[in-house]
């Protein structure tokens, strides 16, 4: 699985658990707790920061390389 390669097995497992929160909320009308929502948001923020931060760092490096040329 490509996600496991990028994020690791534990993170992908956690993301699947978040999906189950949503399924329970939609299909069984069981809302996740505030703590569950908070933890889900923290994980998503870290993942977004990882990918967007990596892209930003890469772009910054490319700009430095242009300045050296």
């Amino acid at each position: 699985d490509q996600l496991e390669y990028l994020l690791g097995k534990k993170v992908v497992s956690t993301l699947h658990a978040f999906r189950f929160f949503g399924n329970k909320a939609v299909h069984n009308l069981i809302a996740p707790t505030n703590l569950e929502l908070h933890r889900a948001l923290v994980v998503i923020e870290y993942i977004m920061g990882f990918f967007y931060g990596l892209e930003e760092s890469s772009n910054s490096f490319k700009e430095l390389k242009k300045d050296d040329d």
Side-chain angles (χ1 to χ4, degrees):
D1 186 33
Q2 291 180 351
L3 278 180
E4 284 184 10
Y5 175 75
L6 291 171
L7 301 173
K9 198 173 220 172
K10 285 185 178 183
V11 174
V12 171
S13 175
T14 300
L15 291 173
H16 284 300
F18 298 157
R19 184 182 54 147
F20 293 126
F21 292 152
N23 288 345
K24 285 181 186 177
V26 170
H27 299 291
N28 300 331
L29 299 177
I30 300 172
T33 66
N34 287 340
L35 182 58
E36 290 170 332
L37 289 174
H38 173 75
R39 288 180 177 164
L41 287 172
V42 167
V43 171
I44 297 300
E45 285 176 353
Y46 276 110
I47 290 171
M48 289 178 68
F50 171 76
F51 284 112
Y52 289 110
L54 186 61
E55 182 178 346
E56 185 178 320
S57 294
S58 174
N59 290 337
S60 295
F61 180 75
K62 288 177 187 175
E63 290 300 318
L64 287 174
K65 186 100 170 112
K66 283 181 187 177
D67 291 343
D68 288 344
D69 294 338

